[in-house]
Short mmCIF file of all heavy atoms in Angstrom, two decimals:
data_model
loop_
_atom_site.label_atom_id
_atom_site.label_comp_id
_atom_site.label_asym_id
_atom_site.label_seq_id
_atom_site.Cartn_x
_atom_site.Cartn_y
_atom_site.Cartn_z
N MET A 286 0.85 -1.18 0.00
CA MET A 286 0.00 0.00 0.00
C MET A 286 0.89 1.25 0.00
O MET A 286 1.74 1.42 0.86
CB MET A 286 -0.89 -0.03 1.23
CG MET A 286 -1.91 1.03 1.26
SD MET A 286 -3.12 0.58 2.51
CE MET A 286 -4.40 1.62 2.04
N ALA A 287 0.72 2.09 -0.96
CA ALA A 287 1.54 3.30 -1.10
C ALA A 287 0.97 4.43 -0.25
O ALA A 287 -0.24 4.59 -0.12
CB ALA A 287 1.59 3.74 -2.55
N VAL A 288 1.90 5.18 0.33
CA VAL A 288 1.49 6.32 1.15
C VAL A 288 1.34 7.54 0.24
O VAL A 288 2.24 7.87 -0.52
CB VAL A 288 2.55 6.61 2.25
CG1 VAL A 288 2.17 7.86 3.02
CG2 VAL A 288 2.70 5.42 3.15
N GLN A 289 0.21 8.20 0.30
CA GLN A 289 -0.01 9.39 -0.51
C GLN A 289 0.16 10.62 0.35
O GLN A 289 -0.44 10.74 1.42
CB GLN A 289 -1.41 9.36 -1.11
CG GLN A 289 -1.60 8.24 -2.11
CD GLN A 289 -2.98 8.28 -2.72
OE1 GLN A 289 -3.84 9.05 -2.32
NE2 GLN A 289 -3.20 7.43 -3.71
N HIS A 290 1.01 11.52 -0.12
CA HIS A 290 1.25 12.78 0.58
C HIS A 290 0.44 13.89 -0.09
O HIS A 290 0.30 13.90 -1.32
CB HIS A 290 2.73 13.14 0.56
CG HIS A 290 3.59 12.15 1.27
ND1 HIS A 290 3.64 12.05 2.63
CD2 HIS A 290 4.43 11.19 0.80
CE1 HIS A 290 4.47 11.10 2.98
NE2 HIS A 290 4.96 10.54 1.89
N PRO A 291 -0.08 14.81 0.69
CA PRO A 291 -0.82 15.93 0.07
C PRO A 291 0.14 16.80 -0.75
O PRO A 291 1.34 16.86 -0.46
CB PRO A 291 -1.38 16.69 1.27
CG PRO A 291 -0.53 16.30 2.42
CD PRO A 291 -0.04 14.92 2.14
N PRO A 292 -0.35 17.46 -1.78
CA PRO A 292 0.51 18.33 -2.58
C PRO A 292 1.03 19.50 -1.75
O PRO A 292 0.41 19.93 -0.79
CB PRO A 292 -0.40 18.82 -3.71
CG PRO A 292 -1.78 18.65 -3.17
CD PRO A 292 -1.74 17.49 -2.23
N TYR A 293 2.22 19.98 -2.13
CA TYR A 293 2.84 21.11 -1.43
C TYR A 293 2.00 22.37 -1.62
O TYR A 293 1.60 22.70 -2.73
CB TYR A 293 4.24 21.37 -1.95
CG TYR A 293 4.84 22.65 -1.44
CD1 TYR A 293 5.29 22.74 -0.13
CD2 TYR A 293 4.92 23.77 -2.24
CE1 TYR A 293 5.83 23.91 0.36
CE2 TYR A 293 5.45 24.95 -1.76
CZ TYR A 293 5.90 25.01 -0.46
OH TYR A 293 6.43 26.19 0.03
N VAL A 294 1.74 23.04 -0.53
CA VAL A 294 1.01 24.30 -0.56
C VAL A 294 1.81 25.31 0.26
O VAL A 294 2.24 25.00 1.37
CB VAL A 294 -0.40 24.14 0.07
CG1 VAL A 294 -1.14 25.45 0.08
CG2 VAL A 294 -1.19 23.08 -0.69
N PRO A 295 2.09 26.51 -0.28
CA PRO A 295 2.84 27.50 0.49
C PRO A 295 2.14 27.82 1.82
O PRO A 295 0.92 27.79 1.91
CB PRO A 295 2.86 28.73 -0.41
CG PRO A 295 2.57 28.23 -1.78
CD PRO A 295 1.72 27.00 -1.59
N THR A 296 2.94 28.11 2.82
CA THR A 296 2.40 28.43 4.14
C THR A 296 1.61 29.74 4.07
O THR A 296 2.08 30.72 3.51
CB THR A 296 3.53 28.58 5.16
OG1 THR A 296 4.30 27.38 5.14
CG2 THR A 296 3.01 28.81 6.55
N THR A 297 0.43 29.72 4.64
CA THR A 297 -0.39 30.92 4.65
C THR A 297 -0.78 31.26 6.08
O THR A 297 -0.83 30.40 6.95
CB THR A 297 -1.66 30.74 3.81
OG1 THR A 297 -2.41 29.66 4.34
CG2 THR A 297 -1.35 30.49 2.36
N ASP A 298 -1.04 32.52 6.32
CA ASP A 298 -1.50 32.98 7.62
C ASP A 298 -2.62 33.96 7.36
O ASP A 298 -2.38 35.08 6.89
CB ASP A 298 -0.35 33.65 8.37
CG ASP A 298 -0.75 34.12 9.75
OD1 ASP A 298 -1.78 33.64 10.26
OD2 ASP A 298 -0.04 34.97 10.31
N GLY A 299 -3.81 33.56 7.62
CA GLY A 299 -4.96 34.41 7.35
C GLY A 299 -5.17 34.66 5.87
O GLY A 299 -5.64 35.71 5.47
N GLY A 300 -4.76 33.70 5.04
CA GLY A 300 -4.93 33.84 3.60
C GLY A 300 -3.77 34.57 2.92
O GLY A 300 -3.78 34.71 1.71
N LYS A 301 -2.77 35.01 3.69
CA LYS A 301 -1.62 35.71 3.09
C LYS A 301 -0.41 34.81 3.15
O LYS A 301 -0.19 34.10 4.13
CB LYS A 301 -1.33 37.01 3.85
CG LYS A 301 -2.44 38.01 3.79
CD LYS A 301 -2.07 39.26 4.55
CE LYS A 301 -3.20 40.28 4.50
NZ LYS A 301 -2.86 41.48 5.25
N ARG A 302 0.39 34.84 2.10
CA ARG A 302 1.61 34.04 2.09
C ARG A 302 2.61 34.62 3.08
O ARG A 302 2.76 35.82 3.20
CB ARG A 302 2.22 34.01 0.69
CG ARG A 302 1.39 33.19 -0.27
CD ARG A 302 2.02 33.09 -1.61
NE ARG A 302 3.34 32.49 -1.50
CZ ARG A 302 4.11 32.23 -2.54
NH1 ARG A 302 3.71 32.54 -3.74
NH2 ARG A 302 5.28 31.68 -2.37
N THR A 303 3.30 33.74 3.80
CA THR A 303 4.20 34.19 4.85
C THR A 303 5.65 34.30 4.40
O THR A 303 6.46 34.89 5.09
CB THR A 303 4.14 33.24 6.06
OG1 THR A 303 4.48 31.93 5.62
CG2 THR A 303 2.76 33.23 6.67
N ASP A 304 6.01 33.73 3.25
CA ASP A 304 7.41 33.75 2.84
C ASP A 304 7.92 35.16 2.58
O ASP A 304 9.09 35.45 2.82
CB ASP A 304 7.66 32.85 1.64
CG ASP A 304 6.75 33.14 0.47
OD1 ASP A 304 5.80 33.93 0.65
OD2 ASP A 304 6.98 32.59 -0.63
N HIS A 305 7.06 36.07 2.13
CA HIS A 305 7.50 37.45 1.91
C HIS A 305 7.79 38.14 3.24
O HIS A 305 8.75 38.90 3.36
CB HIS A 305 6.43 38.24 1.14
CG HIS A 305 6.20 37.71 -0.23
ND1 HIS A 305 7.16 37.72 -1.21
CD2 HIS A 305 5.11 37.11 -0.78
CE1 HIS A 305 6.67 37.18 -2.30
NE2 HIS A 305 5.43 36.79 -2.07
N ARG A 306 6.96 37.86 4.24
CA ARG A 306 7.19 38.47 5.55
C ARG A 306 8.46 37.91 6.19
O ARG A 306 9.19 38.63 6.87
CB ARG A 306 6.00 38.23 6.47
CG ARG A 306 4.78 39.03 6.05
CD ARG A 306 3.71 38.94 7.07
NE ARG A 306 3.26 37.54 7.18
CZ ARG A 306 2.29 37.14 7.98
NH1 ARG A 306 1.68 37.99 8.75
NH2 ARG A 306 1.94 35.88 8.01
N VAL A 307 8.73 36.63 5.98
CA VAL A 307 9.95 36.03 6.53
C VAL A 307 11.17 36.65 5.89
O VAL A 307 12.14 36.98 6.57
CB VAL A 307 9.92 34.49 6.35
CG1 VAL A 307 11.26 33.88 6.71
CG2 VAL A 307 8.81 33.89 7.18
N ALA A 308 11.14 36.85 4.58
CA ALA A 308 12.27 37.46 3.89
C ALA A 308 12.47 38.90 4.35
O ALA A 308 13.61 39.35 4.54
CB ALA A 308 12.05 37.42 2.38
N PHE A 309 11.39 39.62 4.56
CA PHE A 309 11.49 41.00 5.03
C PHE A 309 12.07 41.04 6.44
O PHE A 309 12.94 41.85 6.75
CB PHE A 309 10.09 41.65 5.01
CG PHE A 309 10.08 43.07 5.46
CD1 PHE A 309 10.63 44.06 4.68
CD2 PHE A 309 9.51 43.42 6.67
CE1 PHE A 309 10.63 45.39 5.09
CE2 PHE A 309 9.51 44.73 7.10
CZ PHE A 309 10.06 45.71 6.31
N ARG A 310 11.60 40.14 7.32
CA ARG A 310 12.11 40.08 8.69
C ARG A 310 13.59 39.70 8.69
O ARG A 310 14.37 40.25 9.46
CB ARG A 310 11.30 39.06 9.49
CG ARG A 310 11.55 39.13 10.97
CD ARG A 310 10.67 38.15 11.73
NE ARG A 310 9.27 38.33 11.39
CZ ARG A 310 8.42 37.34 11.20
NH1 ARG A 310 8.80 36.10 11.32
NH2 ARG A 310 7.16 37.60 10.90
N LEU A 311 13.98 38.79 7.82
CA LEU A 311 15.39 38.40 7.72
C LEU A 311 16.25 39.59 7.29
O LEU A 311 17.34 39.80 7.82
CB LEU A 311 15.54 37.25 6.72
CG LEU A 311 16.96 36.76 6.46
CD1 LEU A 311 17.55 36.17 7.74
CD2 LEU A 311 16.97 35.75 5.35
N ALA A 312 15.78 40.38 6.35
CA ALA A 312 16.52 41.56 5.91
C ALA A 312 16.66 42.57 7.05
O ALA A 312 17.74 43.16 7.23
CB ALA A 312 15.81 42.21 4.71
N ILE A 313 15.61 42.74 7.83
CA ILE A 313 15.67 43.66 8.98
C ILE A 313 16.70 43.16 10.00
O ILE A 313 17.52 43.93 10.50
CB ILE A 313 14.29 43.81 9.64
CG1 ILE A 313 13.30 44.47 8.68
CG2 ILE A 313 14.38 44.57 10.95
CD1 ILE A 313 13.59 45.91 8.39
N TYR A 314 16.67 41.87 10.31
CA TYR A 314 17.61 41.31 11.28
C TYR A 314 19.05 41.42 10.78
O TYR A 314 19.96 41.72 11.56
CB TYR A 314 17.28 39.85 11.57
CG TYR A 314 16.03 39.65 12.38
CD1 TYR A 314 15.33 38.45 12.33
CD2 TYR A 314 15.51 40.64 13.20
CE1 TYR A 314 14.17 38.25 13.07
CE2 TYR A 314 14.36 40.46 13.94
CZ TYR A 314 13.70 39.26 13.87
OH TYR A 314 12.56 39.07 14.60
N LEU A 315 19.27 41.16 9.51
CA LEU A 315 20.63 41.27 8.95
C LEU A 315 21.13 42.71 9.02
O LEU A 315 22.28 42.96 9.39
CB LEU A 315 20.66 40.76 7.51
CG LEU A 315 20.65 39.26 7.34
CD1 LEU A 315 20.53 38.90 5.87
CD2 LEU A 315 21.90 38.65 7.93
N ALA A 316 20.28 43.65 8.68
CA ALA A 316 20.68 45.06 8.73
C ALA A 316 20.98 45.47 10.17
O ALA A 316 21.98 46.15 10.44
CB ALA A 316 19.58 45.94 8.13
N ALA A 317 20.14 45.05 11.11
CA ALA A 317 20.35 45.40 12.52
C ALA A 317 21.64 44.77 13.04
O ALA A 317 22.40 45.42 13.77
CB ALA A 317 19.16 44.95 13.36
N ALA A 318 21.91 43.54 12.67
CA ALA A 318 23.15 42.88 13.12
C ALA A 318 24.38 43.58 12.57
O ALA A 318 25.37 43.76 13.27
CB ALA A 318 23.13 41.41 12.69
N HIS A 319 24.33 44.00 11.31
CA HIS A 319 25.46 44.71 10.72
C HIS A 319 25.65 46.09 11.36
O HIS A 319 26.77 46.53 11.57
CB HIS A 319 25.29 44.82 9.21
CG HIS A 319 25.68 43.58 8.50
ND1 HIS A 319 24.80 42.55 8.30
CD2 HIS A 319 26.85 43.19 7.96
CE1 HIS A 319 25.42 41.58 7.66
NE2 HIS A 319 26.67 41.94 7.44
N LEU A 320 24.56 46.77 11.64
CA LEU A 320 24.67 48.07 12.31
C LEU A 320 25.25 47.92 13.72
O LEU A 320 26.09 48.72 14.15
CB LEU A 320 23.31 48.76 12.37
CG LEU A 320 22.82 49.34 11.04
CD1 LEU A 320 21.39 49.85 11.19
CD2 LEU A 320 23.73 50.44 10.57
N PHE A 321 24.82 46.90 14.44
CA PHE A 321 25.35 46.65 15.78
C PHE A 321 26.84 46.30 15.70
O PHE A 321 27.64 46.79 16.51
CB PHE A 321 24.57 45.51 16.44
CG PHE A 321 25.03 45.22 17.84
CD1 PHE A 321 24.83 46.13 18.85
CD2 PHE A 321 25.66 44.02 18.13
CE1 PHE A 321 25.25 45.87 20.15
CE2 PHE A 321 26.08 43.75 19.41
CZ PHE A 321 25.88 44.67 20.42
N GLY A 322 27.23 45.49 14.73
CA GLY A 322 28.64 45.15 14.53
C GLY A 322 29.46 46.38 14.19
O GLY A 322 30.59 46.55 14.68
N ALA A 323 28.94 47.25 13.36
CA ALA A 323 29.64 48.49 13.01
C ALA A 323 29.78 49.39 14.22
O ALA A 323 30.83 50.04 14.41
CB ALA A 323 28.90 49.21 11.89
N PHE A 324 28.76 49.43 15.07
CA PHE A 324 28.83 50.23 16.29
C PHE A 324 29.91 49.69 17.23
O PHE A 324 30.70 50.46 17.79
CB PHE A 324 27.47 50.25 16.98
CG PHE A 324 27.46 51.00 18.27
CD1 PHE A 324 27.61 52.38 18.30
CD2 PHE A 324 27.29 50.32 19.47
CE1 PHE A 324 27.60 53.07 19.50
CE2 PHE A 324 27.27 51.01 20.67
CZ PHE A 324 27.44 52.39 20.69
N LEU A 325 29.96 48.38 17.39
CA LEU A 325 31.01 47.79 18.22
C LEU A 325 32.40 48.06 17.64
O LEU A 325 33.34 48.37 18.37
CB LEU A 325 30.80 46.28 18.36
CG LEU A 325 29.65 45.84 19.24
CD1 LEU A 325 29.54 44.32 19.24
CD2 LEU A 325 29.84 46.36 20.66
N PHE A 326 32.52 47.94 16.32
CA PHE A 326 33.80 48.24 15.67
C PHE A 326 34.20 49.69 15.93
O PHE A 326 35.36 49.97 16.24
CB PHE A 326 33.67 47.99 14.16
CG PHE A 326 34.94 48.26 13.41
CD1 PHE A 326 35.94 47.32 13.37
CD2 PHE A 326 35.11 49.46 12.73
CE1 PHE A 326 37.12 47.56 12.68
CE2 PHE A 326 36.26 49.72 12.04
CZ PHE A 326 37.28 48.77 12.01
N LEU A 327 33.25 50.60 15.85
CA LEU A 327 33.53 52.01 16.11
C LEU A 327 33.97 52.22 17.55
O LEU A 327 34.92 52.97 17.81
CB LEU A 327 32.28 52.84 15.81
CG LEU A 327 32.40 54.35 16.06
CD1 LEU A 327 33.40 54.96 15.08
CD2 LEU A 327 31.05 55.01 15.94
N LEU A 328 33.32 51.55 18.49
CA LEU A 328 33.72 51.68 19.90
C LEU A 328 35.15 51.20 20.11
O LEU A 328 35.94 51.86 20.80
CB LEU A 328 32.76 50.90 20.79
CG LEU A 328 31.35 51.48 20.97
CD1 LEU A 328 30.55 50.54 21.88
CD2 LEU A 328 31.42 52.86 21.58
N PHE A 329 35.50 50.06 19.56
CA PHE A 329 36.86 49.55 19.71
C PHE A 329 37.86 50.44 19.01
O PHE A 329 38.98 50.65 19.49
CB PHE A 329 36.97 48.12 19.20
CG PHE A 329 36.48 47.10 20.19
CD1 PHE A 329 35.22 46.54 20.04
CD2 PHE A 329 37.26 46.69 21.25
CE1 PHE A 329 34.76 45.60 20.95
CE2 PHE A 329 36.82 45.77 22.17
CZ PHE A 329 35.56 45.21 22.02
N TRP A 330 37.49 50.98 17.85
CA TRP A 330 38.40 51.85 17.10
C TRP A 330 38.66 53.14 17.87
O TRP A 330 39.80 53.58 18.00
CB TRP A 330 37.80 52.15 15.72
CG TRP A 330 38.70 52.99 14.88
CD1 TRP A 330 39.80 52.59 14.19
CD2 TRP A 330 38.54 54.39 14.62
NE1 TRP A 330 40.34 53.64 13.53
CE2 TRP A 330 39.59 54.77 13.76
CE3 TRP A 330 37.63 55.36 15.00
CZ2 TRP A 330 39.74 56.07 13.31
CZ3 TRP A 330 37.78 56.63 14.55
CH2 TRP A 330 38.83 56.98 13.72
N VAL A 331 37.60 53.74 18.40
CA VAL A 331 37.75 54.97 19.20
C VAL A 331 38.52 54.67 20.48
O VAL A 331 39.39 55.43 20.89
CB VAL A 331 36.38 55.60 19.51
CG1 VAL A 331 36.48 56.71 20.53
CG2 VAL A 331 35.75 56.13 18.22
N GLY A 332 38.23 53.55 21.13
CA GLY A 332 38.92 53.19 22.36
C GLY A 332 40.39 52.91 22.14
O GLY A 332 41.23 53.16 23.01
N GLY A 333 40.76 52.42 20.98
CA GLY A 333 42.16 52.12 20.67
C GLY A 333 42.96 53.36 20.30
O GLY A 333 44.20 53.33 20.33
N HIS A 334 42.32 54.45 19.98
CA HIS A 334 43.02 55.66 19.56
C HIS A 334 43.15 56.68 20.69
O HIS A 334 43.63 57.78 20.48
CB HIS A 334 42.30 56.30 18.37
CG HIS A 334 42.62 55.63 17.09
ND1 HIS A 334 41.98 54.47 16.70
CD2 HIS A 334 43.51 55.91 16.12
CE1 HIS A 334 42.46 54.10 15.54
NE2 HIS A 334 43.39 54.94 15.14
N HIS A 335 42.68 56.35 21.87
CA HIS A 335 42.81 57.29 22.99
C HIS A 335 43.58 56.71 24.10
O HIS A 335 43.63 55.77 24.62
CB HIS A 335 41.41 57.74 23.50
CG HIS A 335 40.77 58.71 22.57
ND1 HIS A 335 39.75 58.35 21.72
CD2 HIS A 335 41.00 60.01 22.32
CE1 HIS A 335 39.38 59.38 21.02
NE2 HIS A 335 40.13 60.42 21.35
#
């Protein structure tokens, strides 16, 4: 007896596709992480010059 799997359907939340929101959230997190890293780099750079 073969197991039948349902066809792939994109994840939805209230009828809206969620993959666009995930990509947008990922872009926000990446930008925030880079800004935080740049801020830390600036702190170390300023601290090393005084």
Side-chain angles (χ1 to χ4, degrees):
M286 187 165 197
V288 176
Q289 294 182 353
H290 297 285
Y293 170 75
V294 178
T296 304
T297 59
D298 182 18
K301 296 181 181 179
R302 289 183 59 177
T303 58
D304 54 351
H305 296 295
R306 289 189 297 182
V307 171
F309 181 71
R310 192 177 307 139
L311 178 64
I313 295 291
Y314 289 156
L315 283 174
H319 280 87
L320 286 173
F321 182 68
F324 177 69
L325 288 178
F326 180 81
L327 178 67
L328 287 180
F329 280 101
W330 182 78
V331 169
H334 281 81
H335 285 104

